[in-house]
Amino acid sequence: MKVDRLWTNARIATLDPARPGLGIIESGTIAAQDGRIIWVGPKSEQPALETIERIDAEGRWITPGLIDCHTHLVYGGNRAHEFELRLGGATYEEIARAGGGILSTVKATRAASEERLVAQALPRLDALLAEGVTTVEIKSGYGLELETEARQLRAARALGARRPVSITTTFLGAHALPPEADGDKDKYIARLCAQMLPAIAAEKLADAVDAFMEGIAFSGGQTARVFEVAKRLGLPVKLHADQLSNLGGATLAARYGALSADHLEHTDEAGAVAMAKAGTVAVLLPGAFYFIRETQKPPVDLFRKHRTRIAIATDSNPGSSPLTSLLLTMNMAATLFRLTVDEIIAAVTREAAHALGRQSEIGTLEVGKSCDLAIWNVERLAELPYRIGFNPLHARVWRGQ
Ligand code: DI6
Ligand code: FE
């Protein structure tokens, strides 16, 4: 068999569900051809392979390339000043009344060209890539009108042309009510359903549709209207659910067969059961929990009990999670949510792939999948979530390169 590239002498966490635990192969080999894995297994079982390039991993650990399955990476400006005001004692409400909060990011994003949005997002993307991330989901949601929402999504797609990384995009027009909507949420959702979403779908700018279902954002009824249109347009859905209160977001997401429901601090047992049945992934976002100093933890034991899939992500955004480290997110998932090492490694690989509906292409090291690898200078995989602010990445491989 002829192959492009061969990694030998590696300790491999394949995440292959057919193998126990993390699917570990001690002293393994991975072979790639045309960007795909064409063989992976123990050296003792390796067939004769003729290769152009042979790379000795020197006993290092190899995991699937990491997947950040929930980010708002593309936006204008930042909210450091607001952070300062809050440290000085100002409340969220005072800041919002003074034109701050999410609407200040909307203003800055509307004012930014596509090229400017790309330029501002690139350092954030580079920070993720430096830690072995090979796939990033990016949401819109700081335009709140068609033109800027579309520009955000185009900027997100453009990032994928600027760096060796897979980008998936999500339309989050139902993120907040724009200032010009005069407080009329139903009217905004009606416009989103009739105009914005169909136009975004026609231009193929979004791979999925998301909404923020919360007292300060949109109701279950409004979310359902968005989801109905998404389904009709053939787009999968996701939901920011049960972050600040339990409005039944997890259950509603499951009812629409959502790829994921995200945050979930206030989700109850019925929500966890419904998600497990629907195959909706619980995407936990410890960075937002940490940054807004939330105290209610997501019901991890219920997700375990009912075998709801668990992923984790940075939620990188300027307001509630200015975080561009998936390794630190992994540490937070352990320290704050008590996820185990195996759960955490799966949460940023195989389970995150499910949260994007891309489990047939990425997230595990199996024959036929994209050869996206993270190669680590660690003795134990526990070192990935264990260290704080230290990056043990040795090399990152995207589509075999
Ligand atoms: N949940 C959040 O915490 C963020 N968005 C969301 O849907 C907040 C985004 C921001 O403040 O800019
Ligand atoms: Fe978010």
Side-chain angles (χ1 to χ4, degrees):
M1 195 166 21
K2 275 196 175 157
V3 301
D4 292 335
R5 214 167 257 115
L6 192 64
W7 287 266
T8 61
N9 193 15
R11 304 172 78 187
I12 307 170
T14 63
L15 277 295
D16 181 347
R19 301 173 192 259
L22 294 178
I24 286 168
I25 299 169
E26 296 281 350
S27 191
T29 303
I30 301 173
Q33 176 74 28
D34 298 326
R36 300 204 167 271
I37 296 169
I38 63 161
W39 197 82
V40 55
K43 184 181 174 14
S44 55
E45 295 170 18
Q46 184 197 310
L49 294 168
E50 204 182 303
T51 183
I52 296 166
E53 192 181 351
R54 178 183 299 267
I55 298 153
D56 185 351
E58 298 170 325
R60 292 186 181 87
W61 276 100
I62 299 184
T63 66
L66 305 190
I67 300 170
D68 193 352
C69 67
H70 178 145
T71 86
H72 310 247
L73 213 65
V74 170
Y75 55 84
N78 68 59
R79 306 244 285 278
H81 179 56
E82 192 176 299
F83 181 59
E84 263 184 289
L85 292 175
R86 276 173 47 215
L87 290 173
T91 66
Y92 268 111
E93 256 189 308
E94 285 164 354
I95 291 165
R97 266 200 300 275
I102 186 164
L103 292 181
S104 80
T105 301
V106 170
K107 201 169 160 191
T109 304
R110 287 179 177 181
S113 66
E114 182 183 320
E115 190 43 43
R116 181 95 190 108
L117 290 175
V118 169
Q120 291 196 327
L122 270 175
R124 296 191 279 266
L125 179 62
D126 286 339
L128 293 175
L129 301 198
E131 294 183 345
V133 171
T134 50
T135 299
V136 182
E137 185 259 16
I138 301 178
K139 301 174 196 295
S140 66
Y142 290 116
L144 310 181
E145 36 82 4
L146 177 57
E147 192 197 321
T148 309
E149 289 288 316
R151 186 164 3 103
Q152 263 192 287
L153 294 170
R154 277 189 216 106
R157 293 252 199 256
L159 287 168
R162 298 282 281 269
R163 292 292 186 271
V165 62
S166 303
I167 303 286
T168 82
T169 58
T170 303
F171 172 64
L172 179 58
H175 189 197
L177 193 64
E180 62 276 8
D182 292 327
D184 194 337
K185 291 182 182 178
D186 282 324
K187 198 167 149 199
Y188 175 66
I189 291 296
R191 185 165 69 239
L192 185 151
C193 290
Q195 292 160 12
M196 294 166 74
L197 183 44
I200 295 285
E203 235 192 286
K204 297 206 183 320
L205 286 173
D207 301 311
V209 174
D210 195 348
F212 187 18
M213 180 173 155
E214 193 59 67
I216 57 165
F218 298 99
S219 69
Q222 288 156 350
T223 300
R225 268 172 261 159
V226 176
F227 283 5
E228 290 290 344
V229 177
K231 292 255 128 173
R232 218 179 306 137
L233 295 167
L235 287 168
V237 299
K238 309 169 78 70
L239 187 63
H240 282 70
D242 307 339
Q243 180 186 7
L244 307 170
S245 59
N246 181 10
L247 297 180
T251 309
L252 183 131
R255 192 174 340 122
Y256 281 89
L259 293 174
S260 71
D262 306 36
H263 284 293
L264 304 176
E265 278 82 349
H266 292 264
T267 296
D268 57 19
E269 186 152 16
V273 170
M275 287 175 65
K277 281 200 179 127
T280 298
V281 180
V283 177
L284 308 185
L285 306 169
F289 175 92
Y290 165 84
F291 193 74
I292 65 173
R293 304 199 299 149
E294 175 63 68
T295 52
Q296 172 82 29
K297 293 183 189 190
V300 170
D301 285 338
L302 291 177
F303 297 142
R304 286 180 180 137
K305 177 177 164 196
H306 297 291
R307 299 181 169 275
T308 316
R309 291 180 177 279
I310 300 174
I312 59 175
T314 62
D315 194 17
S316 185
N317 78 68
S320 65
S321 187
L323 170 61
T324 49
S325 169
L326 196 52
L327 285 173
L328 179 54
T329 306
M330 292 161 72
N331 174 267
M332 289 176 174
T335 53
L336 301 174
F337 296 165
R338 311 309 286 169
L339 261 58
T340 66
V341 171
D342 281 16
E343 284 170 336
I344 289 167
I345 304 284
V348 292
T349 55
R350 184 182 63 216
E351 305 307 301
H354 276 274
L356 299 177
R358 298 194 54 198
Q359 62 274 13
S360 64
E361 305 154 59
I362 54 172
T364 69
L365 302 179
E366 294 176 81
V367 170
K369 290 210 178 172
S370 183
C371 186
D372 295 355
L373 313 175
I375 307 177
W376 304 99
N377 280 319
V378 296
E379 293 288 326
R380 297 175 72 85
L381 288 173
E383 287 178 60
L384 301 184
Y386 158 72
R387 294 183 191 281
I388 305 172
F390 180 77
N391 181 4
L393 188 76
H394 170 71
R396 196 186 75 102
V397 176
W398 179 69
R399 297 191 179 165
Q401 310 256 341

